[in-house]
Amino acid sequence: MLAPLAARGVTVEAAIWDDPAVDWSGYDLVVLRSPWDYALRRDEFVAWAQKVPCLVNPADVVAWNTDKRYLAELSAAGVPTVPTAWVEPGQSWVPPADSGEYVIKPAVSAGSQDTGRYDLADPEHRELAAAHVRRLTAAGRVAMVQPYLNAVDTSGETALLFLAGPDGLAFSHAIRKGPMLTGPDLGVAELYKKEQIDPRTAGPDQLAVAQQTLAAVPGGPDRLLYARVDLIPGPDGAPVLVELELTEPSLFIGYADAAPDRLAAAITTHLARQP
């Protein structure tokens, strides 16, 4: 991003969000990119975001998007979303009686950390799934339990990337992510599992779900610098939302030739909006 921004006369400095020596008010724009250590310090991160002038995406979006319970709100708004059960701290949880596969992860997380896949037909997996939920809730975290969508093993996951333009948020490019979850989470810290990433052409049905998702963002999508909408085919083949990444997404700009320029243009668009 440095070259296309420099070509537009934009000076860039990388800074760490929790560095007390940084004067955030000294910047015309602060762009969130990779604060992937916030998951275990979310309250501190959200409080920091609220104090930063000219932050994109905005602090209220950060507060909403860093807790995956936003999926329940989007589902209530009519967005096709992977079914999710939520287990609060202090609640007990028993694995479903059926023998399907499920994914368990915390509601506040980054990457693949604390995420596992369980085949509930396997007695050992059932015990490990219950232990995973207990481990999360005992730490004061909300656990989320979702059916594993088997289409990710064949079709993969589609990430649709949107960047700000002169007329609001616009589709930029899409990529395909192959399956990552191979089994239970055993409590070993692992932020990112190895991914297979390839460019992908987004279909009309995927674009429609993505636009429906973005339209339901509190405050509307036109305030956003970027958005990533992650979709997987559901049991009937229609795309369903897995995650909406508005805080620290990998934007995969290396997978579309013009994407770096589009992101640089998006940043200059937001710079021009600042008082």
Side-chain angles (χ1 to χ4, degrees):
M1 290 307 305
L2 297 180
L5 284 169
R8 289 167 169 79
V10 179
T11 300
V12 181
E13 295 179 0
I16 300 172
W17 72 271
D18 61 351
D19 183 349
V22 177
D23 176 13
W24 299 102
S25 65
Y27 296 100
D28 297 314
L29 191 69
V30 176
V31 179
L32 284 168
R33 287 308 308 123
S34 55
W36 291 319
D37 59 351
Y38 78 82
L40 296 179
R41 305 159 60 193
R42 177 179 174 268
D43 290 347
E44 180 184 347
F45 181 65
V46 170
W48 165 83
Q50 292 169 341
K51 297 176 183 177
V52 178
C54 306
L55 181 71
V56 285
N57 284 329
D60 62 305
V61 171
V62 170
W64 179 76
N65 187 241
T66 49
D67 187 326
K68 291 181 176 59
R69 283 177 285 187
Y70 68 76
L71 289 170
E73 295 183 35
L74 293 176
S75 178
V79 176
T81 305
V82 59
T84 305
W86 310 91
V87 187
E88 305 275 347
Q91 289 183 329
S92 60
W93 179 79
V94 176
D98 66 59
S99 58
E101 287 191 279
Y102 284 81
V103 173
I104 296 172
K105 58 186 174 182
V108 178
S109 64
S112 303
Q113 201 164 23
D114 301 311
T115 300
R117 172 183 172 183
Y118 301 89
D119 181 356
L120 297 187
D122 183 331
E124 182 182 3
H125 274 225
R126 295 183 71 85
E127 292 181 7
L128 289 171
H132 188 174
V133 171
R134 285 196 303 270
R135 186 165 63 249
L136 292 175
T137 56
R141 307 174 78 183
V142 175
M144 48 196 298
V145 183
Q146 300 172 321
Y148 184 78
L149 300 178
N150 292 317
V152 75
D153 294 327
T154 52
S155 298
E157 180 178 326
T158 301
L160 291 85
L161 289 305
F162 291 78
L163 300 173
D167 299 318
L169 207 61
F171 175 69
S172 171
H173 59 287
I175 58 97
R176 175 193 182 274
K177 293 195 288 184
M180 292 189 300
L181 299 179
T182 57
D185 173 72
L186 301 177
V188 179
E190 184 177 21
L191 181 59
Y192 279 103
K193 293 180 171 65
K194 186 177 180 180
E195 294 181 300
Q196 175 63 46
I197 308 294
D198 299 289
R200 167 166 276 180
T201 299
D205 55 344
Q206 294 171 323
L207 287 166
V209 171
Q211 294 288 3
Q212 182 185 4
T213 301
L214 294 171
V217 172
D222 289 345
R223 300 184 301 148
L224 305 178
L225 171 67
Y226 53 64
R228 196 183 89 202
V229 184
D230 294 344
L231 306 175
I232 295 176
D236 63 354
V240 298
L241 178 70
V242 180
E243 287 193 12
L244 171 61
E245 299 276 9
L246 304 178
T247 303
E248 28 59 62
S250 295
L251 296 175
F252 304 111
I253 59 171
Y255 292 85
D257 289 341
D261 281 325
R262 285 195 289 268
L263 180 52
I267 290 172
T268 56
T269 294
H270 274 264
L271 278 168
R273 294 178 184 175
Q274 303 309 315

